Amino acid sequence: MKKEKFEFSFEVYDSIDELNENDKWLLNEARHVTKRAYAPYSKFYVGAAAKLSNGKKVTGTNQENASFPVGICAERVLLGAASSLYPDTSIETIAVSYQSTIVKSDHPISPCGMCRQALQEFELRMEKPVRLILAGMEGKVYVINSASQLLPLAFTNEELNPLTP
Ligand code: THU
């Protein structure tokens, strides 16, 4: 028997003021688009903003539904929009923020499991890491260099490749 260990490190900033101008701008975009979320059930309004390798900005917000499982997270709305508007274009960085009428928005949130899987496939497909900036409307900011770091031992399309003779 042998033991394996996963480790990853990420940056923690005390506030948005410590970020460089580009990251500050992107996080402010994410904060701004939280207003466009459709989240009447959870009242948890998530905004995501991406800077693509072609220099374009794409945003996404969570879109809920009376049939709860139909709802989709801001991150996957963003990935779908980016991929549809600019196919074959990688994403450099995604900033994610949120606000709520129920809970405080004073710390970072991290993508859910389903979004981690979607982000991981996007990275593999583009052969480029997607950097993440995670924060609430105030408080600490996390910067993660590659979204795949959040999903160790991931299931990937490699498992689906037919066996080569
Ligand atoms: N949600 C996101 O959009 N992104 C996240 O990273 C976490 C959760 C949404 C899903 C649902 O509409 C609401 O937030 C509460 O879970």
Side-chain angles (χ1 to χ4, degrees), residues 37-48 60-65 68 71-77 96-98 109-113 115 134:
Y38 176 66
Y41 306 105
S42 69
K43 313 248 188 263
F44 193 80
Y45 307 93
V46 185
T61 56
N62 54 331
Q63 302 294 317
E64 297 185 346
N65 192 281
F68 292 177
I72 177 164
C73 295
E75 293 91 330
R76 274 173 297 129
V77 169
V96 182
S97 189
Y98 65 100
I109 55 161
S110 193
C112 78
C115 289
L134 308 173

Side-chain angles (χ1 to χ4, degrees), residues 75-91:
E75 293 91 330
R76 274 173 297 129
V77 169
L78 184 150
L79 289 179
S83 198
S84 307
L85 289 166
Y86 307 107
D88 305 321
T89 308
S90 57
I91 293 176

